[in-house]
Amino acid sequence: MATIDFGAGYPAYPDLASAVAAAGAGGTVRSWGPHTDTVGVYTWPGALSGITWLHMGGGDYTFDGGLATLDCLRIDGTGNTLVLLNADGTRVKIKGYGRYVFWVNAAGNVINDPYLFDNGYVAAGHIRPYMLYANSTIHRPVIASGLDNQAYQYGLYISNSNGGLVTDLYIANVNVTGTGRVYAVLSSGSCGRVLIDGVILENCSSVAPSYPLSWGGTGAGDVMRVRRAQIRSLTGPVNSRIGYAYQKGIDIENFIFDNCGGDGFVFQAPSAFVGDQNRVVNGVIRGMSASGVSANQLVAGSAPTIRNVIARDCVGNGFVSYGTFDPDSDHNVAYNNGTDYSGWTKGANDLEAVDPLQADPANGDYTLLSDSPCIGTGETIAGMRYDIGGIERPQGANFDIGPHEYPAEVIDLVNKFAVATGSAGTIVAGENTFSDAAADFQLPDANHKLYIYNCIAANAGLANINSVDSATQVVTDKTFSTDPQSGSIKWALFLVAQ
């Protein structure tokens, strides 16, 4: 076990392979740039586990396959930690490879900030830039660009991993012709409850149909869990499928599918669902060249739950079902589609032909305006705490519909009320009156109420202050008296969005 420096300035160890061999299990290797490593495929031996790889800066350390090498890096060892981005902004980069570029083939590894660009070439066929074949973690992987290999660009390919975590995957500028397809995430085999916590794919195109989020897990109870997904400006044919659930369960929260070719979601299940989640909640699907959400060939027990989803401005249908077993649908909004609902069993709270009033959908801004009918009218989802931007849910009594929660305006209530007698924040029995001495102030809108809450007394409860001008929302009378209490009583003020 040793610490080995390699790369620029360290001729004794000119490449990763020699450094890892010298460091041994449990050792540390430190890369220095600028340096170009032209070694072909390197398989990190299974016996060399628990190694830490740190990029130290000085310039980028670049693996360059020269558009002639199929494979780059395969990790067979377990328990390794790779830190591939330095504080000075330089990083480990990989380009010029044609097939398996970054392959995690063993469990317990943590890979931070890998960066891929300009991989894929025609002679190599399909390319799998990132491969997750075991229960490991990849943080912030980037595919900054991809060459036109005229075949499939798989993005992140998950196979029989039996779990795993990928955070903040970013893919851009991948444009393929011929029979090429573009994927952000594709999974197959027994993948368990793998979690994709953050994925953006933008400005990509294909001639053949693309499937950016494609789930074909075959293990019992397999669930594709995706959080904070944004698929924007993917140009492709009308039979593309942005979210494609073919086999088992799918669990997606907080998503934006914006201005893409094909359908937003397609559900096609040949067997009943086995697992603890099968749902699509809180998202917006806009500008699809086909339909927003399409349920095809569902069988008994396979139908997903669709909640708090906006489908708008799609050429085809907003929500469409072609089978006997429709999804469990409620609290969704369809607006300005070719047909809003077709063959779809609407829930009691599904809205049709209602403008969700979002800030600037034509330019990709789906935050809600203050008078949006989506505010406070969604279904509260157990275990879901934040929206796509990190705002806590709910801001009011219920979730908002769509990926964004409308933030409640915070009013500083200090000095808005004056206590007639007693010290600040304490009201003495028999003298428990808020006076009207403080200046008038305005509530955000008619959906907000102001409450005073007794925090100590046994008969504590909420009491609404109703002295609010209905037109201006100005609180004009701030006098509030309570029933006599014994002892000192602490009070708290709450502004609540209804």
Side-chain angles (χ1 to χ4, degrees), residues 96-112:
Y97 292 84
R99 188 176 60 174
Y100 305 151
V101 181
F102 202 112
W103 184 352
V104 183
N105 199 44
N109 293 290
V110 178
I111 294 93
N112 297 315

Side-chain angles (χ1 to χ4, degrees), residues 174-210:
V174 177
N175 301 285
V176 293
T177 62
T179 60
R181 294 178 177 176
V182 176
Y183 295 81
V185 181
L186 181 139
S187 54
S188 64
S190 298
C191 295
R193 291 178 53 80
V194 64
L195 173 61
I196 312 300
D197 188 8
V199 53
I200 295 175
L201 182 145
E202 59 185 3
N203 300 322
C204 298
S205 66
S206 67
V207 174
S210 287

Side-chain angles (χ1 to χ4, degrees), residues 301-323:
S302 69
T305 297
I306 314 294
R307 292 289 189 274
N308 306 338
V309 174
I310 300 168
R312 58 173 300 162
D313 308 316
C314 298
V315 174
N317 303 286
F319 298 88
V320 60
S321 178
Y322 297 103

Side-chain angles (χ1 to χ4, degrees), residues 101 148 178 192 200 280 300 351 363 384 403:
V101 181
D148 181 9
I200 295 175
V280 173
L351 300 179
N363 291 300
M384 183 176 171

Side-chain angles (χ1 to χ4, degrees), residues 40-43 64-74 94-104 116-133 143 145-149 151-158:
V41 60
Y42 171 61
T43 299
D64 190 346
L67 294 182
T69 308
L70 288 179
D71 308 329
C72 184
L73 177 62
R74 169 174 165 168
I94 302 177
K95 71 171 184 176
Y97 292 84
R99 188 176 60 174
Y100 305 151
V101 181
F102 202 112
W103 184 352
V104 183
L116 279 55
F117 70 105
D118 287 357
N119 291 284
Y121 52 91
V122 174
H126 302 328
I127 183 172
R128 301 175 182 181
Y130 291 108
M131 299 168 63
L132 186 64
Y133 276 45
I143 300 174
S145 60
L147 299 179
D148 181 9
N149 62 338
Y152 297 178
Q153 288 262 3
Y154 277 112
L156 172 66
Y157 190 98
I158 306 170

